[in-house]
Amino acid sequence: MTTITSPRSRGRALAWVSIALAGTVVATTLGAYGYYWRIQNSIQHEDTSKLITGARPKKLNDALNILVIGSDTREGANARYGRSLRNKVPASDTMILLHLSPGGGQALGISFSRDLMVPVPACKRKDGTVAPASSLAMLNEAIGRAGPTCTMDTIEKLTRIKIDHFVQVNFVGFEKITSAVGGVPICLDEPVNDPKSGLRLAKGPHRVSGEQALAYVRARKEIGDGSDTQRIQRQQRFLASLAKQAMSGGVLTDPGRLNSLLTASARSLTTDRDLTVSRMLRIAQGMRDLTAGKVRFMTVPDEPYAADRNRRQLAQPAATRFLNAVRNDEKITEPAAKPPPATAAKVRIRVLNGSGSEGQARLVAGTLKDRGLTVTKVGNLSRPAATTQIRYGTGGAAQAKALAVLIPGARAVAAATTPRDTVDLILGAGFRGLKTGGIPRQQGEHRASDDICEQDPG
């Protein structure tokens, strides 16, 4: 097989695969056998409670959020993936927030682009020195400034999601990992002969491991349209397939294969001090009802950065809605159905704020507009309203009742003072926001239960 020639691409691909392994180890395999005493001694730790300064997001529920970071460090055994890069500052080319709902309700692997432009806070290093803050920088730079805890702090402040633990994975164990699970099923839409990656496969389903698996997640120019976006999608399909394979009975019931899998991963892990192997075991036991259909991989909504199209930025307001739903541990749902265009255009909605919370009407109006509704007025009442009310004029009954579904405790009532084909939404003192309808499905999302040869929806 052709030797892999790009250390950077190789490191990135290995990080992607290691991410899926780490997520699977945390969520599933550690509950199967008692290897954790030996593994514990192989894992390195950081004390995040001492390194993160200042206020952190509040924990709102019993869901667990574990940040899994892929590092391209060339220290130690990782030098064999690029000896000329031994002195480079590490970067985290892969960052996935693993969101685990209680009782195995769902497991979401939420990717953040390495090139996402974000504020990076001042970060304390392990030696006590402090890396200065940046008002805007690429997300993958945080780890090089002050280690994985800095990446954790940056994403917490960006998302306002409390991160319970982090797992940093390097790529030295990649070949052992893919071999330990018995190879990873993939599917090609067309034959591939890529001399750069060394990938030579016919059209159709395959099972890849070792360098062949690496070539698959690394290949770009000779597969599909050659874009990096499509390569990321292919890598997420690979992660979903790897998770499914690692959860299968063939791995979990074979002590030799499981031992190889866990040993290979443990030597490549750094975690926060509180994420001990016994803690991983308790997490795994709490997720024992997790099925492949409940494991999904997706990307936080982003878009090209306005000042540099080669960088990314959060796509608003979609990113805020998505992260809010994750923070509140809502379930994945299909996008809320929009009303028929004729209805949306005919009925006008006026949002009036009497809640006492500044800006509330504007936020609600934005959400309604995103749902395809027509908002013609946003304003404040002259005096506070004790309750939230929905009033409608002639022709507005159906729209008012549909709106009431989004607001717990609110009723739609006819009002002579409300004009024809108009609905007045009056936000009262007890208003706590609209129902979001759950975490919206993301374009390009993949489930571990997906058929490996199914096509992505358009």
Side-chain angles (χ1 to χ4, degrees), residues 101-186:
S101 295
Q106 64 181 354
L108 310 180
I110 304 166
S111 299
F112 291 80
S113 170
R114 60 185 293 276
D115 295 329
L116 194 66
M117 300 301 293
V118 300
V120 177
C123 293
K124 187 177 181 180
R125 304 185 181 98
K126 288 191 291 185
D127 63 4
T129 60
V130 176
S134 292
S135 59
L136 205 61
M138 287 200 306
L139 179 57
N140 75 332
E141 295 178 12
I143 194 172
R145 297 184 180 203
T149 299
C150 188
T151 302
M152 179 177 174
D153 192 15
T154 300
I155 292 181
E156 270 199 347
K157 288 181 169 56
L158 177 70
T159 64
R160 297 190 295 116
I161 295 173
K162 174 65 180 296
I163 298 176
D164 300 282
H165 303 289
F166 83 82
V167 178
Q168 176 186 307
V169 188
N170 60 42
F171 44 73
V172 69
F174 169 74
E175 292 182 5
K176 293 181 180 179
I177 290 168
T178 55
S179 297
V181 299
V184 179
I186 65 169

Side-chain angles (χ1 to χ4, degrees), residues 80-92:
R80 68 188 177 94
Y81 294 106
R83 296 186 181 278
S84 63
L85 301 174
R86 283 181 296 179
N87 297 322
K88 76 176 286 293
V89 176
S92 48

Side-chain angles (χ1 to χ4, degrees), residues 425-449:
L425 172 56
I426 299 173
L427 307 179
F431 180 74
R432 294 294 180 267
L434 298 174
K435 293 181 180 178
T436 64
I439 302 174
R441 284 181 59 94
Q442 300 301 303
Q443 185 174 3
E445 175 186 314
H446 301 285
R447 292 175 298 176
S449 60

